[in-house]
Amino acid sequence: MVTKVLIFFLVLLATSHSLSSDNFLRAADILSYSGYLSMSLTLRLLYQNITMSAESQSLTVFAPSDYAFSVFGQPNLSTIRLYFSPLSISLQFLHSLPRNSKLPTLSDNQYLIITSSPQDEFTTINRVRIEGSPLYDDGVLVVFGTEEFFDPSFSVARPLACVLPSGINDISFSVEDASGFLKSRGYAITASFLDLQVKGHLNRNNLLTVFAVGDNVVKDFVGNFIDYSSLFFRHVLPCKMAWRDLVSFDEGTILGTFFEGFRINVTKFGDIVMVNGVPVVFPDMYSSELMVIHGLNQVLVSPEIGMPEF
């Protein structure tokens, strides 16, 4: 991925064309009668400043709609620089970028972050939808429309913690029902861990989500773990996440587990929710006031989470 981006940079910088006032004025004319009058005026006012500050000979502009300007007002110069990237980006290239890819901007030390995946119908940046084909594209200056302003403080998901609900101390904590249910469904190993580890390490102030794996799968892994508890705690969240919570998460949401340093990355493939690439095959197979259990068909391993640096 990094190689592709570097090649893309080199191709862009090697172009014989360069930005001029004509590029901006033509783009401003197109924007003025396309529902982007506010951004049209912004281009006319700032093109000299933007051209001087852009080291690249190409530029991509993300233009918020007039409605967005009417709601939030005119951003200051420092903020508006976030909407200018020193690249000439085609829609095809933009749509091909993987989630969490970063786009450089003219705003100091700030990037725009791709929040969609190539298989998604629409491209989103900082969770704001890009409105289809460019409004203007002359090979040097490209302008895309956006539904809203970008959140300048946007960042990728961090591990989530759980908030303990009020009145939790009044609820008695018991794992017997859950354990018995698991044993009757072919999850006896997980049930044993639940009996031993929960009673020994947790208390009634803990909410739990357990990702249970069938005995026939776990047996192949147990022998490879010197510390059996580490395997179990990789599959337990310190919070209660029902199926409705999992399906509502944004792609790439990261959840912390009871095993320090081990994270669960929530992704989706159509209607299928996956954790570290493993599909949740039996959602909400057991649920109580304090605990929910989801069934998996594979043991969870560490996800390869990271943003490409370019």
Side-chain angles (χ1 to χ4, degrees):
M1 181 63 209
V2 174
T3 302
K4 286 183 179 179
V5 174
L6 291 176
I7 293 174
F8 183 66
F9 268 99
L10 293 175
V11 171
L12 288 172
L13 296 176
T15 180
S16 59
H17 302 288
S18 61
L19 287 168
S20 69
S21 60
D22 290 340
N23 300 103
F24 284 93
L25 295 177
R26 286 196 297 268
D29 287 340
I30 297 294
L31 289 174
S32 65
Y33 56 78
S34 300
Y36 298 86
L37 179 60
S38 297
M39 198 62 182
S40 170
L41 296 174
T42 300
L43 281 184
R44 293 179 186 277
L45 290 172
L46 299 180
Y47 75 85
Q48 288 184 328
N49 181 288
I50 294 298
T51 304
M52 292 175 61
S53 63
E55 297 180 1
S56 172
Q57 298 302 305
S58 303
L59 205 64
T60 293
V61 181
F62 297 98
S65 66
D66 285 344
Y67 176 77
F69 275 91
S70 69
V71 173
F72 297 101
Q74 176 69 45
N76 58 36
L77 178 60
S78 175
T79 300
I80 205 67
R81 288 178 181 273
L82 185 65
Y83 297 82
F84 293 82
S85 180
L87 308 170
S88 177
I89 306 174
S90 69
L91 178 63
Q92 182 180 8
F93 180 80
L94 192 65
H95 192 69
S96 71
L97 292 174
R99 185 181 305 275
N100 291 343
S101 296
K102 295 190 292 185
L103 297 176
T105 72
L106 298 186
S107 183
D108 293 339
N109 300 319
Q110 281 194 290
Y111 291 86
L112 294 173
I113 300 175
I114 301 294
T115 48
S116 55
S117 296
Q119 64 267 26
D120 293 340
E121 182 178 359
F122 301 105
T123 298
T124 62
I125 296 177
N126 288 27
R127 293 183 183 164
V128 173
R129 175 176 160 179
I130 305 304
E131 297 286 14
S133 300
L135 299 167
Y136 178 84
D137 184 358
D138 60 13
V140 177
L141 177 65
V142 181
V143 183
F144 290 97
T146 68
E147 291 182 328
E148 307 170 30
F149 282 109
F150 297 131
D151 179 0
S153 62
F154 178 83
S155 60
V156 294
R158 293 290 185 263
L160 299 180
C162 284
V163 178
L164 195 66
S166 59
I168 194 70
N169 290 325
D170 297 328
I171 303 175
S172 61
F173 187 87
S174 174
V175 300
E176 280 79 8
D177 288 345
S179 176
F181 174 86
L182 289 171
K183 290 175 182 177
S184 69
R185 297 298 193 279
Y187 298 83
I189 296 177
T190 299
S192 297
F193 283 147
L194 191 63
D195 285 334
L196 296 173
Q197 302 297 339
V198 170
K199 289 180 179 178
H201 294 81
L202 309 178
N203 56 58
R204 66 180 184 175
N205 289 332
N206 288 114
L207 297 176
L208 298 178
T209 298
V210 178
F211 293 102
V213 185
D215 294 344
N216 59 327
V217 177
V218 176
K219 287 177 181 177
D220 294 333
F221 283 82
V222 169
N224 297 325
F225 280 81
I226 297 176
D227 184 0
Y228 292 170
S229 65
S230 69
L231 174 62
F232 174 70
F233 281 123
R234 291 168 191 258
H235 293 72
V236 182
L237 305 180
C239 48
K240 183 182 175 183
M241 293 291 180
W243 176 247
R244 64 177 180 273
D245 300 314
L246 292 177
V247 298
S248 68
F249 284 144
D250 291 323
E251 180 87 5
T253 295
I254 302 173
L255 306 174
T257 69
F258 270 108
F259 189 76
E260 185 176 357
F262 189 85
R263 300 177 178 183
I264 289 179
N265 185 18
V266 180
T267 55
K268 300 175 183 178
F269 186 79
D271 294 331
I272 301 173
V273 174
M274 296 185 290
V275 286
N276 291 9
V278 177
V280 179
V281 292
F282 299 115
D284 287 351
M285 60 186 294
Y286 175 88
S287 181
S288 67
E289 291 180 290
L290 290 175
M291 182 190 307
V292 63
I293 301 175
H294 306 293
L296 306 179
N297 58 10
Q298 297 178 49
V299 170
L300 295 180
V301 295
S302 296
E304 296 181 359
I305 300 175
M307 294 191 301
E309 299 291 338
F310 55 91

